[in-house]
Amino acid sequence: MYTIVKEDGRERPWIVVSPDGERIAHLSVINDEPSTDDIRDIVRAHADGKPVPSLPAGSERAADAVTAPEEAAGGSAEGSEADEAVGVPASGDAYNTPTHARAVALDIYETKWVAECDRHGPVSMGLNKFGDAVDDVAAAYVYDNEQDAADAARTHLDAHAAQDADTMTPDDIDTAQALNFSRDQWRTLGWMSDGKVRETAGGFTAYDISPDRADISKRIRKNLVPHLWVAGFVKVFAVAPGAREFGLTREGERALRMWSNAIRIGAVTEPERDTTHPAVKDGSYRWLSAGDTWPGEVKAAKAAADAKAKAAAFAAALRKAEEERAALKAATPTDDELAVIDALGHEGLDENAAAVLSAAYIGHVITRYRPGATSVRLDKRSNEDERHVSRTYNVKGVEKPITTDARDTLLAIPANLTDATADTWHALCTTVVERYGVYWLDLQAAVEAGRAALAVLATDEEAEESPEPRASREFVQTAEPGTDTEVIEWAGAGLLWQRGDGFGHAGRAVPAARVAPLIEAGTLYRSADGRVYPVKDAKAETAGESDEVIAEVGDEAADIVIRHSRA
């Protein structure tokens, strides 16, 4: 137990002392009282092994201040501070007990105590004077000393132990015998604990009470529920106009538990008639069959019914929105599906490639309309060589017929799954039984094969489209072949192309030795688009250059002078 010590005559008199007698830290003081928040933070930090504000250097341990009673009375040596620790409570283990129930002080002066138990929820809950856990600590019974609170905690622990051992104490048996519930009263309390009892204008009814059959209900006698309500075992809920539900109060739950345990161990016998218990309610019960209600019941019932209807409408709206999103998604082809459709429309497509793309198209369409499908069954229709989808299957093998929308979408494009291409699309099936015509197409494998086929087609198209320009029909060469003038003429027509480290014209390679000297001389230049142009076609890229660029080119045919003036 952590102790708060006040040492008079010091600048900061309040000190926290740990259970092992160590002085932990000084406390902040507000209106000559130690700060409760400061105490809580220091104790929690020390208990968790975290650093806490240290005492001034040279401070003695609390063992020097918290002394034995005889030393505190004056038997200590001169100069010690034992006299200042008179009346300090001895350290104990009340805060460190391993038991589920314990006595807890409500203030730092330990003048108010309550009993708590942590077996009733995620946090410790206070106990009332009957030993029952309460949600609000303000409802817990307050003792003026630690011993009474500890006794209440031990009594509560004994009740837990008896319940865990499936036993009852003599006092529990006496309490159960005083209840003396009849069979109908006991069963009705059990039904109420499960929320199965309702009252309408026609009377009381317990719904769905059979453990092995559905929709089995039972009418309850008119006076049975009101007598239990008057005794304080039952509480009423207004769930809708003209309808009530019932539950058990804390006393009702305790009584049901007690009586059930007593019946199980044979400590009591059931009376033949209902027992009339002392009334704890003021006023008589108001029957709906007589049109009687409590003040505000109709309004509360209407509010409850409106809230339930609003929640149901909101859930229905969510379901409708989800269905609309799913329908829109199912009706919208994906980009991959559109790419497959476009590829199937190309002229001259190989029949095996068409079969693979058709299988991929089936995979895209089926998974779009039925996302859970993993495979489909292919069947041959009458007088048709092609196989078409007839059934879908999920990962667990559950079979469903193909939807109408999916069937219509697939029929818009030829299936291309024929005997001629069997070797191609059989490789995409999980099961192939030619004798019985059973083909199970793996949708995921078909989609992946379609992506691979699209990649191959794209590569072939790129290979067919040469990036090198061909000579235009309108281009007529006038320069003598093999001369620099010929190269310059090609460049002027935009038909000289750079290919890596080499050059080309009209699909033919041009030796770099013919073009590189002209580039180095400034007659030609490489452009950003990969072509080679004459310098006269270039535009100035930076300011401050000369207004004229002159290049002299000499060859065996003639001397050519090119002058370029800037605009």
Side-chain angles (χ1 to χ4, degrees):
M1 179 175 65
Y2 290 88
T3 308
I4 312 302
V5 180
K6 183 178 182 182
E7 298 178 341
D8 296 331
R10 294 180 178 270
E11 181 179 356
R12 300 181 66 182
W14 293 96
I15 298 178
V16 180
V17 180
S18 67
D20 59 358
E22 181 181 359
R23 297 154 60 92
I24 301 176
H26 288 295
L27 294 176
S28 301
V29 178
I30 302 176
N31 295 329
D32 199 27
E33 296 291 341
S35 172
T36 305
D37 294 338
D38 203 7
I39 295 173
R40 182 180 62 252
D41 295 340
I42 293 174
V43 170
R44 287 180 176 176
H46 184 269
D48 295 339
K50 298 179 181 179
V52 296
S54 58
L55 291 171
S59 296
E60 68 278 12
R61 287 176 54 83
D64 300 331
V66 184
T67 61
E70 58 273 12
E71 294 178 342
S76 59
E78 289 186 2
S80 68
E81 299 179 1
D83 294 338
E84 300 178 9
V86 175
V88 175
S91 299
D93 59 355
Y95 286 96
N96 303 319
T97 174
T99 58
H100 296 290
R102 66 196 66 83
V104 178
L106 293 180
D107 57 357
I108 62 174
Y109 298 107
E110 300 182 352
T111 59
K112 297 180 180 180
W113 294 80
V114 295
E116 286 187 353
C117 182
D118 56 15
R119 290 190 58 176
H120 302 274
V123 297
S124 296
M125 299 178 66
L127 306 178
N128 59 17
K129 63 180 180 180
F130 302 108
D132 297 327
V134 292
D135 297 330
D136 188 0
V137 68
Y141 189 79
V142 180
Y143 301 89
D144 58 3
N145 60 83
E146 179 184 7
Q147 186 61 44
D148 290 345
D151 291 343
R154 280 192 293 270
T155 302
H156 186 75
L157 282 176
D158 292 340
H160 276 302
Q163 186 175 357
D164 294 340
D166 198 19
T167 59
M168 297 183 68
T169 63
D171 291 339
D172 293 338
I173 294 176
D174 292 341
T175 302
Q177 289 176 344
L179 294 171
N180 202 31
F181 288 133
S182 66
R183 171 64 62 89
D184 290 340
Q185 288 176 319
W186 180 32
R187 290 194 304 178
T188 301
L189 289 175
W191 293 334
M192 289 180 179
S193 66
D194 296 333
K196 296 181 177 181
V197 178
R198 275 201 173 195
E199 181 191 8
T200 60
F204 301 92
T205 306
Y207 296 92
D208 194 19
I209 60 174
S210 176
D212 55 355
R213 291 184 297 172
D215 300 330
I216 301 299
S217 304
K218 181 178 178 59
R219 294 293 299 271
I220 301 175
R221 295 196 312 272
K222 180 178 180 180
N223 291 325
L224 197 153
V225 174
H227 286 172
L228 294 174
W229 175 81
V230 170
F233 300 133
V234 176
K235 53 186 175 182
V236 185
F237 302 98
V239 294
R244 296 171 181 166
E245 282 187 357
F246 299 90
L248 298 184
T249 62
R250 287 188 177 275
E251 186 63 27
E253 293 175 354
R254 181 172 179 271
L256 178 61
R257 183 176 64 252
M258 285 284 187
W259 184 257
S260 299
N261 290 340
I263 288 291
R264 184 169 57 253
I265 65 176
V268 294
T269 56
E270 298 173 346
E272 296 182 359
R273 303 181 62 180
D274 295 344
T275 300
T276 302
H277 300 87
V280 298
K281 300 278 189 179
D282 295 333
S284 59
Y285 187 84
R286 301 188 180 188
W287 281 276
L288 279 176
S289 58
D292 294 336
T293 57
W294 282 282
E297 180 183 2
V298 175
K299 183 177 180 181
K302 186 177 184 305
D306 291 344
K308 187 176 181 179
K310 184 177 180 181
F314 181 72
L318 288 179
R319 288 194 300 270
K320 183 178 180 181
E322 184 65 26
E323 292 173 356
E324 291 177 351
R325 284 194 296 268
L328 179 61
K329 182 178 179 181
T332 305
T334 62
D335 293 339
D336 292 339
E337 183 180 339
L338 294 175
V340 171
I341 296 174
D342 183 62
L344 285 171
H346 286 181
E347 296 182 0
L349 185 65
D350 179 72
E351 61 179 4
N352 290 316
V356 172
L357 292 173
S358 297
Y361 180 64
I362 292 174
H364 286 299
V365 172
I366 295 299
T367 53
R368 178 157 58 91
Y369 284 97
R370 184 160 287 160
T374 58
S375 62
V376 295
R377 175 167 174 163
L378 303 174
D379 290 320
K380 182 188 296 186
R381 293 181 179 176
S382 60
N383 301 326
E384 290 187 15
D385 183 37
E386 290 182 338
R387 271 68 175 183
H388 299 269
V389 178
S390 60
R391 293 286 189 274
T392 65
Y393 302 86
N394 64 9
V395 69
K396 296 183 179 180
V398 178
E399 177 182 331
K400 289 185 178 181
I402 183 175
T403 63
T404 303
D405 293 336
R407 184 185 67 248
D408 295 342
T409 303
L410 291 176
L411 289 177
I413 296 179
N416 296 318
L417 305 181
T418 63
D419 293 335
T421 58
D423 293 339
T424 300
W425 58 271
H426 281 183
L428 304 176
C429 295
T430 58
T431 303
V432 175
V433 183
E434 291 286 357
R435 181 177 180 181
Y436 300 104
V438 177
Y439 310 96
W440 278 18
L441 178 65
D442 187 335
L443 299 181
Q444 185 62 32
V447 170
E448 294 297 333
R451 293 195 179 102
L454 289 175
V456 173
L457 292 176
T459 303
D460 294 341
E461 291 178 359
E462 291 178 359
E464 293 177 359
E465 295 179 0
S466 175
E468 184 175 324
R470 299 289 180 176
S472 174
R473 295 180 181 179
E474 300 176 356
F475 173 72
V476 178
Q477 182 172 320
T478 59
E480 183 179 353
T483 63
D484 290 343
T485 306
E486 180 187 31
V487 176
I488 295 173
E489 190 174 45
W490 292 342
L495 300 176
L496 184 60
W497 189 261
Q498 181 181 1
R499 298 190 302 184
D501 295 334
F503 300 89
H505 163 68
R508 301 188 304 273
V510 178
R514 297 188 62 187
V515 183
L518 298 176
I519 295 177
E520 293 175 359
T523 304
L524 304 179
Y525 75 96
R526 297 183 180 91
S527 66
D529 62 359
R531 292 178 174 86
V532 179
Y533 293 101
V535 172
K536 66 183 182 64
D537 296 333
K539 295 183 179 180
E541 297 178 357
T542 58
E545 295 182 355
S546 174
D547 290 338
E548 294 183 347
V549 178
I550 302 176
E552 295 183 358
V553 180
D555 58 20
E556 56 191 34
D559 292 334
I560 301 176
V561 178
I562 300 175
R563 179 181 299 273
H564 172 67
S565 298
R566 298 187 177 206

